[in-house]
């Protein structure tokens, strides 16, 4: 694969290309420009300024960009113009966008709805966690844009519900996240089913060797666009690491930061789903307006919790790495890594939820002794030491709803008890003779009949059981 770093036509200086353009100069149609203006955008970001002209020219693109740089619009906007010409066919999508998570797929779908409002384009969303019926029906009617997660797409393909031979534009978004989630074999299978002369766009925040190998295999002479060194973090984000004595005091330190650092809205990331649930319950017990999102929740639940956070019903979202990539939530002032991420790349994506679109943000990572190796790997990846932020850990937070314990009054001395009077011995009970049961012939024994002593031995050879009545009848 041969790649060349390029800048859009009519500019010779990369910095000039990044900041001197407007959307009108990128070659987009009037209908798209009208939709972009209605959304409140006038100036493209660097990745948009460099990628859009080459996508419109039907070139393959390999883009390296941080999260929060407007990467989604860099392929959505030109795709709308490209797909404006052509017709739909049943079960054969004209273009395909692969996303690693349901949330990212839904977000890209929202972008198409917003920017394609002036075009007659049909879109289908193939994600897990929802029923297939509506998705299959949409495919049967024909779609221009298919946005899918690899798992659900492969499921429908194997059932014969979709044909990929008519797809001539492929977008692989968040390729490094696809690698982390184990989707690369599925992507290779999907690419092998597509036409060989398609246009392919691949975007990633990092460029590990497997992603480079994937690009070498499936991209043809791509235009290499890099708006930031791979795995670098946003300079608008103030990063801090907070040493804690042990994992047990992390909750106390987190609550202290939430109360003292002027937090407007925050996302808190944990490595485990169980930690997400437990931490959310703890924050709610202490009076914080928090919600949770993780992989064990079904899709409607996840979207509902995410919408509550976007609407401001809650201002704290506790989440696993399912929300770390690509989600565009405006106004997130803080990101907290309750756990240092196991994969250094995830650190870049987690803190990228704040400081988006030119805004500033703050990111704190709680580092217990067992997290030391993980934070060193993060610093090695990002190429610099993260400043230390110290928090007083001398006193633990009080339990909610409990008043301070008052000193108890000294107990009064117990009065000496009077000695007990000696009890009188009980009178011996007179044994009453047991009432014998009635005999089988209905007669009752006399009341004063003496009870047979158990000690009396029966004579040997003598029958001592009941005597049948027929034995008294003579046979003569």
């Amino acid at each position: 694969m041969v790649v060349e770093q390029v800048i859009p036509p009519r500019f010779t200086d990369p910095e000039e290309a990044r900041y001197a353009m407007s959307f009108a100069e990128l070659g987009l149609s009037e209908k798209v420009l009208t939709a972009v203006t209605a959304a409140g955008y006038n100036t493209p970001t660097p990745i948009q300024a460099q990628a859009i002209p080459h996508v419109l020219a039907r070139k393959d693109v390999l883009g390296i960009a941080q999260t929060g740089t407007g990467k989604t619009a860099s392929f959505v906007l030109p795709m709308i113009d490209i797909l404006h010409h052509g017709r739909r066919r049943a079960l054969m999508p004209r273009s395909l966008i692969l996303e690693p998570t349901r949330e990212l797929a839904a977000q890209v779908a929202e972008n198409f709805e917003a920017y394609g409002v002036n075009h007659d384009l049909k879109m289908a969303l193939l994600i897990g966690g929802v029923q297939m019926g509506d998705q299959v029906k949409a495919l049967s009617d024909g779609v221009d844009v298919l946005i899918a997660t690899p798992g659900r797409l492969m499921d429908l393909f194997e059932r014969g519900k979709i044909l990929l031979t008519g797809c001539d534009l492929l977008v692989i978004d968040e390729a490094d996240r696809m690698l982390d989630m184990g989707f690369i074999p599925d992507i290779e299978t999907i690419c092998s089913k597509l036409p060989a002369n398609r246009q392919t766009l691949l975007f990633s925040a990092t460029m590990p060797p497997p992603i480079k190998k994937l690009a070498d295999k499936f991209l043809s002479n791509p235009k290499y666009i890099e708006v930031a060194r791979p795995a670098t973090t946003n300079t608008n984000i103030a990063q801090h690491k907070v040493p804690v004595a042990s994992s047990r005091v992390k909750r106390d330190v987190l609550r202290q930061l939430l109360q003292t650092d002027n937090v407007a809205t925050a996302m808190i990331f944990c490595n485990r789903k169980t930690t997400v649930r437990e931490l959310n319950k703890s924050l709610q017990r202490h009076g914080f307006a928090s919600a949770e999102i993780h992989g064990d929740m079904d899709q409607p639940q996840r979207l509902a919790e995410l919408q509550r956070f976007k609407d401001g019903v809650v201002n704290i979202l506790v989440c696993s790495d399912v929300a770390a990539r690509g989600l565009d939530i405006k106004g997130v002032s803080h990101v907290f890594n309750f756990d240092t991420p196991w994969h250094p790349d995830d650190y870049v994506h987690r803190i990228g939820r704040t400081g988006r679109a030119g805004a500033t943000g703050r990111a704190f990572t709680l580092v217990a002794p067992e997290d030391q190796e993980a934070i060193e790997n993060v610093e090695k990846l990002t190429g610099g030491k993260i400043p230390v932020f110290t928090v007083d850990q001398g006193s633990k937070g009080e339990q909610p709803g409990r008043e301070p314990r008052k000193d108890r009054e000294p107990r009064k001395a117990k009065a000496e008890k009077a000695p007990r009077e000696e009890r009188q011995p009980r009178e011996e009970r007179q044994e009453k003779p047991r009432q014998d049961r009635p005999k089988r012939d209905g007669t009752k024994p006399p009341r004063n009949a003496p009870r047979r002593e158990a000690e009396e031995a029966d004579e040997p050879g003598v029958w001592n059981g009941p005597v049948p009545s027929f034995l008294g009848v003579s046979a003569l």
Side-chain angles (χ1 to χ4, degrees), residues 217-228:
K217 185 174 181 181
F218 294 111
L219 273 69
S220 174
N221 192 26
K223 304 297 182 182
Y224 182 82
I225 301 173
E226 182 182 307
V227 297

Side-chain angles (χ1 to χ4, degrees), residues 23-24 27-37 81 115 118-119:
F23 279 107
L28 297 169
S29 67
E30 288 296 326
K31 290 183 178 180
V32 172
L33 291 175
T34 301
V36 170
T37 304
D81 275 343
Y115 298 131
N118 300 318
H119 292 75

Side-chain angles (χ1 to χ4, degrees), residues 246-266:
S246 69
S247 295
R248 295 182 179 181
V249 299
K250 278 187 176 182
R251 293 185 186 181
D252 301 315
V253 173
L254 175 63
R255 290 195 297 269
Q256 189 173 343
L257 290 170
L258 289 171
Q259 292 167 344
T260 59
D261 205 67
N262 193 27
V263 176
T265 54

Side-chain angles (χ1 to χ4, degrees), residues 35-36 39 41 72-73 75-77 80 97 99 102-118 123-125 127 145-148 299 302-304 306-308 310-311 326-330:
V36 170
Y41 299 105
T72 303
F75 61 82
V76 168
L77 296 179
I80 292 172
I97 301 174
E99 296 288 343
R102 307 168 191 172
E103 287 74 20
L104 280 175
Q107 185 170 285
V108 173
E110 291 173 1
N111 275 262
F112 264 101
E113 290 176 353
Y115 298 131
V117 65
N118 300 318
M123 173 190 63
L125 187 63
I127 57 176
V145 183
L146 179 63
I147 306 167
Q299 186 64 11
R302 284 157 65 167
L303 292 177
L306 197 59
Q307 194 60 47
R308 290 178 67 213
K310 289 181 177 180
D311 294 342
L327 289 184
D328 188 12
I329 303 172
K330 295 180 181 179

Side-chain angles (χ1 to χ4, degrees), residues 87-94 136-143 161-166:
R87 64 184 184 87
R88 296 182 285 269
R89 286 177 288 181
L91 302 180
M92 297 179 66
R94 298 174 58 202
V136 173
K137 185 179 183 304
L139 289 171
S140 300
D141 295 338
V143 295
K161 302 295 185 181
I162 184 172
L163 300 173
L164 299 177
T165 53

Side-chain angles (χ1 to χ4, degrees), residues 60-199:
D60 286 5
V61 171
L62 175 58
I64 306 298
Q66 301 165 345
T67 57
T69 56
K71 173 166 46 70
T72 303
S74 68
F75 61 82
V76 168
L77 296 179
M79 281 181 69
I80 292 172
D81 275 343
I82 291 171
L83 296 171
H84 177 63
H85 307 284
R87 64 184 184 87
R88 296 182 285 269
R89 286 177 288 181
L91 302 180
M92 297 179 66
R94 298 174 58 202
S95 64
L96 172 63
I97 301 174
L98 294 176
E99 296 288 343
T101 66
R102 307 168 191 172
E103 287 74 20
L104 280 175
Q107 185 170 285
V108 173
E110 291 173 1
N111 275 262
F112 264 101
E113 290 176 353
Y115 298 131
V117 65
N118 300 318
H119 292 75
D120 180 25
L121 296 177
K122 282 195 175 182
M123 173 190 63
L125 187 63
L126 297 189
I127 57 176
V130 295
Q131 293 182 352
M132 288 186 182
D134 294 339
Q135 298 175 351
V136 173
K137 185 179 183 304
L139 289 171
S140 300
D141 295 338
V143 295
D144 297 291
V145 183
L146 179 63
I147 306 167
T149 53
R152 177 53 63 94
L153 178 63
M154 289 296 296
D155 193 2
L156 287 175
F157 181 81
E158 290 169 356
R159 294 172 184 231
K161 302 295 185 181
I162 184 172
L163 300 173
L164 299 177
T165 53
C167 179
D168 58 3
L169 200 164
L170 170 67
V171 179
I172 304 173
D173 194 19
E174 298 285 353
D176 51 350
R177 180 61 171 164
M178 298 275 200
L179 173 66
D180 294 341
M181 298 177 71
F183 285 144
I184 297 303
D186 286 344
I187 293 175
E188 291 178 342
T189 302
I190 292 167
C191 289
S192 66
K193 308 296 182 184
L194 296 171
N197 60 345
R198 68 183 181 274
Q199 180 184 11

